[in-house]
Amino acid sequence: MIAAGWYVVYRNSLKIEARKEAREFVDHLDGVIDSLHRSIIRYYCENEQHTGDLSSSIKAEFLLISHYLFLLKGLGINFTGGALLTNYRKAATGMFFETVEFKKQRDIPNWEAEVASLAAQLKLALRRAYFSWSCLLYTSPSPRDRG
């Protein structure tokens, strides 16, 4: 009986650590999305010549987002917002994925609203994936679910 109790405590501690690690990844990813959004706005609004390493930084932050999503997938979190990420990247770069020259973005009407909207949608999809995964960690029904 005591061994079974320790086993339950051990399994719960593993679940808590997994949730903590996943939450840290989600929080870091949220920060990267915020930083990326600020970089995009700064690139188009404050950088008239569109020069410097800011465009390379934007590309690197998109790669960092992909890296964090890969790590979350390894934990078992199923992020279904791949299309959102692609659309965000298209809006941010003006569909110039492979270049660091995003100059044509200025010609796209209402791009600021679209970039902001897609960033918010991406963060929401990330939170939803995390919360549905964290709810699945505890598979035994609670007393309120039974009745």
Side-chain angles (χ1 to χ4, degrees), residues 36-44 58 62 88 92 111 115:
L36 178 60
H37 181 70
R38 286 189 302 271
S39 296
I40 291 166
I41 297 300
R42 209 170 61 237
Y43 181 79
Y44 290 113
I58 290 170
F62 274 116
Y88 186 48
W111 68 270
V115 167

Side-chain angles (χ1 to χ4, degrees), residues 117-137:
S117 172
L118 287 168
Q121 289 176 38
L122 188 60
K123 289 168 66 171
L124 180 62
L126 178 66
R127 297 282 179 201
R128 282 185 178 161
Y130 169 76
F131 286 124
S132 44
W133 170 79
S134 65
C135 289
L136 291 175
L137 279 179

Side-chain angles (χ1 to χ4, degrees), residues 43-102:
Y43 181 79
Y44 290 113
C45 294
E46 299 172 11
N47 190 5
E48 291 299 322
Q49 286 78 30
H50 300 287
T51 57
D53 59 348
L54 192 54
S55 56
S56 297
S57 174
I58 290 170
K59 284 182 71 173
E61 286 177 321
F62 274 116
L63 288 174
L64 188 58
I65 289 172
S66 298
H67 176 72
Y68 274 119
L69 292 176
F70 178 76
L71 291 174
L72 289 174
K73 186 176 183 179
L75 291 174
I77 296 177
N78 185 24
F79 177 73
T80 58
L84 276 173
L85 181 58
T86 301
N87 290 337
Y88 186 48
R89 187 169 180 167
K90 284 179 184 178
T93 63
M95 297 191 192
F96 292 101
F97 287 153
E98 299 305 322
T99 182
V100 291
E101 298 295 327
F102 309 142

